[in-house]
Amino acid sequence: MTDRLTIRRPDDWHLHFRDDEVMRGVVPYTAWQFARAIVMPNLAPPVTHAAMAAQYRERILAAVPKGVRFTPLMTCYLTDDTDADDLARGAAEGIFTAAKLYPANATTNSAHGVSDVARVYPVLERMEAEDIVLCVHGEVTEDEIDVFDREAAFIERHLRGIVRDFPRLRVVFEHITTSDAVRFVRECGDGVAATITPQHLHINRNAMLVGGIRPHNYCLPVAKREEHRLALREAAVSGSPKFFLGTDSAPHLRSAKETACGCAGIFNAPFALESYLAVFDEEKALDRFESFASIHGPAFYGLPVNEETITLERAALEVPGELTLAGESIVPFHAGETLGWRLAG
Ligand code: NCD
Ligand code: ZN
């Protein structure tokens, strides 16, 4: 039995740091594990311009613990009015690594998102020409579409068209939650990939709704049926370079989760690697963990792999029931559970 695993230092290709005190509290969790992370721009107000992203990057870097090497990779929040010149300049200057498409009102802080995908077609055309990666929150927002069907509907209504109309645009279908998404990504060319979160590998929708409503297992896109979870696990451990790690860690304080209208988002940053590794261990795919965590992402983004390594060891890891963040309580993913691996050293 493998009891120690040394891999190239991984990267997180999708997460939320927020800002101010919460940001300063969560950045160390990510920086201790990951060399780089794609930082989501859904602040209030959103990060829509290169100058805002450059300043946000500085604030993040100031929160990285001394002696830890960590590089935040910034994203531009697309709106109906995105300035394509500013985006292209920001990408050329190394401020932006990608741009993020949120359908308006699909999720937390997305009110300024894109109201109609057709409105950003000129920006997508420019991104294709400049080879800027598009990250997509793939859910429709129409009232008549059931929340459990919103990802599948987005593929048919929007994503298929984007991929057809911009064949050279590199697209990350983020935090996929369905077998429909797995199939779609597999059928597309090399320019289309997907990130998968730990929660969507561990839980199905029962974890949110059986035995009482469990707000800490609520995120968007919402966890789906068991058959979808199994399809995601199969994709994650398959070795296909189209699937890679993106935690979607989305911190909301306990008070914002345990309320009549709780926020969407699961805070998985503190034990993200251990959470993923539990899945690869259960699937007898420890030998494919490094490619999912550390190789496929940089290959897709056209970035070098990390030369440093990290080691994980088999050992009982008790996840606390709560943590303190910004002087308040926050409940991490796997709260109160025992995981079978932990970061060594
Ligand atoms: C994210 C957040 O809280 O910013 N929430 C979530 O449930 N994943 C937004 C997002 O990625 O959808
Ligand atoms: Zn997210």
Side-chain angles (χ1 to χ4, degrees):
M1 200 201 281
T2 310
D3 287 328
R4 279 174 83 82
L5 192 65
T6 297
I7 61 169
R8 282 179 191 272
R9 204 154 163 238
D11 305 298
D12 184 349
W13 298 98
H14 177 129
L15 99 157
H16 302 265
F17 273 149
R18 316 301 188 204
D19 211 343
D20 303 318
E21 209 182 339
V22 168
M23 184 266 289
R24 290 191 289 274
V26 298
V27 163
Y29 290 121
T30 293
W32 284 321
Q33 299 169 68
F34 299 100
R36 297 168 288 199
I38 287 273
V39 180
M40 286 297 122
N42 62 331
L43 304 183
V47 180
T48 49
H49 289 83
M52 295 171 87
Q55 288 165 10
Y56 184 31
R57 181 167 66 183
E58 290 310 309
R59 297 197 295 279
I60 294 167
L61 285 170
V64 175
K66 281 207 173 28
V68 175
R69 261 201 296 278
F70 174 74
T71 306
L73 304 173
M74 310 310 290
T75 56
C76 174
Y77 182 113
L78 297 180
T79 70
D80 288 352
D81 306 312
T82 291
D83 177 349
D85 290 333
D86 181 78
L87 169 57
R89 214 168 27 242
E93 289 173 2
I95 299 168
F96 286 134
T97 299
K100 171 72 187 245
L101 171 61
Y102 286 106
N105 303 315
T107 185
T108 309
N109 287 344
S110 62
H112 301 279
V114 172
S115 65
D116 176 357
V117 173
R119 295 189 69 147
V120 286
Y121 259 45
V123 176
L124 300 185
E125 198 175 332
R126 184 70 178 274
M127 288 174 61
E128 182 183 43
E130 310 270 346
D131 200 19
I132 302 169
V133 171
L134 175 70
C135 297
V136 181
H137 183 110
E139 288 190 289
V140 298
T141 55
E142 283 81 1
D143 281 346
E144 72 275 13
I145 307 289
D146 190 283
V147 70
F148 293 101
D149 298 333
R150 288 181 172 196
E151 184 174 279
F154 187 87
I155 296 171
E156 298 313 323
R157 291 188 182 190
H158 303 296
L159 199 49
R160 211 175 275 287
I162 292 173
V163 169
R164 180 193 60 225
D165 296 340
F166 303 100
R168 291 186 320 284
L169 180 65
R170 282 184 293 153
V171 178
V172 182
F173 191 174
E174 299 188 285
H175 42 52
I176 59 169
T177 62
T178 57
S179 60
D180 311 70
V182 170
R183 197 174 326 114
F184 175 76
V185 169
R186 283 193 196 283
E187 284 167 9
C188 289
D190 293 347
V192 178
T195 53
I196 306 181
T197 76
Q199 58 266 23
H200 293 112
L201 296 170
H202 278 282
I203 63 172
N204 60 33
R205 61 195 195 175
N206 288 355
M208 195 172 48
L209 295 170
V210 171
I213 190 154
R214 298 174 195 277
H216 299 291
N217 286 335
Y218 171 58
C219 66
L220 287 169
V222 74
K224 308 291 192 300
R225 289 175 180 275
E226 177 66 357
E227 69 199 59
H228 295 292
R229 185 182 76 97
L230 296 179
L232 295 168
R233 283 172 85 103
E234 200 276 327
V237 306
S238 69
S240 163
K242 285 175 160 284
F243 302 102
F244 45 84
L245 186 158
T247 63
D248 195 20
S249 179
H252 293 281
L253 298 172
R254 183 195 277 269
S255 54
K257 296 286 288 177
E258 297 179 9
T259 179
C261 184
C263 293
I266 292 179
F267 179 46
N268 60 32
F271 307 100
L273 280 178
E274 293 91 339
S275 178
Y276 278 115
L277 196 51
V279 172
F280 279 73
D281 196 8
E282 285 159 16
E283 297 291 333
K284 307 208 177 345
L286 288 176
D287 57 326
R288 307 220 187 107
F289 185 58
E290 182 178 37
S291 49
F292 176 78
S294 315
I295 310 284
H296 297 163
F300 184 84
Y301 274 88
L303 294 169
V305 293
N306 300 310
E307 292 303 330
E308 290 172 291
T309 59
I310 55 151
T311 298
L312 291 126
E313 61 191 9
R314 202 181 283 281
L317 171 76
E318 284 173 30
V319 177
E322 65 179 334
L323 296 165
T324 301
L325 183 63
E328 289 194 48
S329 168
I330 186 163
V331 178
F333 187 44
H334 296 298
E337 294 173 26
T338 302
L339 296 172
W341 289 82
R342 67 163 185 234
L343 258 181

